[in-house]
Amino acid sequence: MRLASTHAAVQRIWTVHLRPQTGGPALTPNSGNITCVAFRSGWFWYIPLSDSLTSVGAVVRRDQADQVRGDRAEALAGLIKECPLVSDYLSEAQRVRSGPYGEVRIRKDYSYLHDTFWRPGMVLIGDAACFIDPLFSSGVHLATYSALLAARSINTSLLGDIDERECFIEYEQRYRKEYQLFHDFLMAFYDVNRDEQEYFGEAKRVTKGSASEAESFVELVGGGASDESALTSEAYQAQRKADLLDHVPRIHWEGQRIQLQAAFGEAVGDTPLRHGGLVESADGMHWTKSAQEHASLT
């Protein structure tokens, strides 16, 4: 295993505060929204957990690590003073000082990436294989996505039509590719000198699609599939199918392909991720050789 540092910050501080308070996104439609705020030493998160609890934490740059040594509560208070917006939000709040939320914690960067994701008879999925700061709930997507890939590999290997090694090489390469997209985006996200429009542009760059910058951002943080509404009518199904087919060639994600398989029982395209690689079966449950590969073998 090796560390997979994703940003300049290596220290995290967080605690939970009590409301009431006058600041913060407390009114509809912003009630419950997460706020991220850049400031001189790094950036803050502000996450409402309930009507009375809010998680507040700071990620600081490596060159500011000395600020969080010593008394943790004082360090957090000092960082809050550096950030006017968060300071205002917490102006009438009280810090929880007892129970599971009472401790101010510090954590170093704990992102990692295993050198290999599988061995004969065993496969690592989700956080067991790799971990990255789960901004935008990327950890949920990576866990479910890797489980899907692993299931295909296991199913195919048990059938015996394709060698186990080939099945799990396909698994690992696809999962690493998905992980790398989030890694590359987070590297840019943690650059506090960027504005939100630059984040959209970075999302477009890492997905390598032709969608607009805003659409690329939505596709990225949504795991490649931003719309999972129920299929309610034949007309809707036809339109949804057309939309998915239109998006697949220009966005290098499997989210749309998975949706088509789940909704319509059919795969999209027959192009492997790499030369000589495998493609998914029509029902999405197995790997198979591409049409080109089949032709070369006959």
Side-chain angles (χ1 to χ4, degrees), residues 272-295:
L273 183 67
R274 58 191 171 84
H275 179 70
L278 304 174
V279 296
E280 68 272 24
S281 59
D283 63 3
M285 298 301 293
H286 302 84
W287 297 119
T288 185
K289 303 283 187 181
S290 67
Q292 300 95 320
E293 186 76 8
H294 278 299

Side-chain angles (χ1 to χ4, degrees), residues 58-103:
V59 178
V60 302
R61 300 194 308 269
R62 285 190 178 94
D63 58 7
Q64 301 295 322
D66 286 344
Q67 290 193 62
V68 299
R69 295 189 172 95
D71 186 279
R72 298 175 181 180
E74 288 184 7
L76 178 61
L79 292 170
I80 290 172
K81 287 181 180 179
E82 284 188 38
C83 185
L85 182 62
V86 172
S87 180
D88 178 58
Y89 281 5
L90 299 176
S91 60
E92 297 182 21
Q94 292 181 313
R95 183 168 70 83
V96 177
R97 297 179 182 275
S98 61
Y101 299 123
E103 181 183 358

Side-chain angles (χ1 to χ4, degrees), residues 6-295:
T6 59
H7 51 80
V10 294
Q11 301 289 336
R12 297 170 173 275
I13 308 180
W14 69 89
T15 187
V16 178
H17 290 75
L18 281 172
R19 293 180 181 175
Q21 59 191 68
T22 56
L27 301 177
T28 302
N30 295 318
S31 177
N33 282 0
I34 294 172
T35 302
C36 296
V37 187
F39 71 113
R40 183 183 63 83
S41 296
W43 66 277
F44 265 98
W45 73 74
Y46 182 96
I47 306 175
L49 303 177
S50 70
D51 289 341
S52 61
L53 289 173
T54 300
S55 172
V56 179
V59 178
V60 302
R61 300 194 308 269
R62 285 190 178 94
D63 58 7
Q64 301 295 322
D66 286 344
Q67 290 193 62
V68 299
R69 295 189 172 95
D71 186 279
R72 298 175 181 180
E74 288 184 7
L76 178 61
L79 292 170
I80 290 172
K81 287 181 180 179
E82 284 188 38
C83 185
L85 182 62
V86 172
S87 180
D88 178 58
Y89 281 5
L90 299 176
S91 60
E92 297 182 21
Q94 292 181 313
R95 183 168 70 83
V96 177
R97 297 179 182 275
S98 61
Y101 299 123
E103 181 183 358
V104 178
R105 304 177 181 91
I106 297 179
R107 296 289 185 271
K108 294 183 179 180
D109 178 41
Y110 44 78
S111 299
Y112 55 81
L113 182 69
H114 270 282
D115 294 327
T116 182
F117 290 0
W118 73 281
R119 64 178 61 177
M122 184 184 78
V123 61
L124 303 176
I125 65 172
D127 290 351
C130 52
F131 180 81
I132 196 169
D133 192 348
L135 198 67
F136 304 117
S137 298
S138 57
V140 175
H141 167 65
L142 291 173
T144 54
Y145 178 71
S146 64
L148 170 71
L149 298 179
R152 286 179 185 163
S153 299
I154 292 169
N155 290 345
T156 307
S157 180
L158 290 175
L159 284 177
D161 295 335
I162 299 176
D163 181 71
E164 177 188 27
R165 181 176 182 276
E166 189 173 359
C167 290
F168 283 97
I169 286 176
E170 190 69 34
Y171 161 78
E172 181 164 338
Q173 293 204 353
R174 287 177 182 257
Y175 190 22
R176 284 186 183 276
K177 179 176 180 288
E178 198 82 345
Y179 173 90
Q180 193 64 46
L181 285 173
F182 280 100
H183 176 278
D184 292 349
F185 179 71
L186 285 172
M187 286 288 289
F189 182 86
Y190 285 124
D191 182 352
V192 298
N193 295 315
R194 298 191 178 207
D195 61 27
E196 65 181 34
Q197 194 58 47
E198 290 180 283
Y199 295 141
F200 295 160
E202 188 65 21
K204 180 178 175 66
R205 185 190 70 79
V206 300
T207 57
K208 299 181 174 66
S210 60
S212 70
E213 293 180 347
E215 288 174 335
S216 297
F217 179 82
V218 171
E219 292 290 348
L220 177 65
V221 302
S226 60
D227 186 357
E228 298 182 5
S229 299
L231 307 177
T232 56
S233 66
E234 290 185 5
Y236 180 86
Q237 289 184 21
Q239 182 59 53
R240 182 62 179 146
K241 186 174 180 180
D243 290 342
L244 289 168
L245 288 169
D246 177 61
H247 280 68
V248 167
R250 62 186 175 84
I251 298 179
H252 297 266
W253 287 73
E254 286 205 11
Q256 289 84 1
R257 298 158 67 93
I258 294 167
Q259 286 190 73
L260 274 173
Q261 290 159 357
F264 307 107
E266 57 189 69
V268 182
D270 191 43
T271 304
L273 183 67
R274 58 191 171 84
H275 179 70
L278 304 174
V279 296
E280 68 272 24
S281 59
D283 63 3
M285 298 301 293
H286 302 84
W287 297 119
T288 185
K289 303 283 187 181
S290 67
Q292 300 95 320
E293 186 76 8
H294 278 299

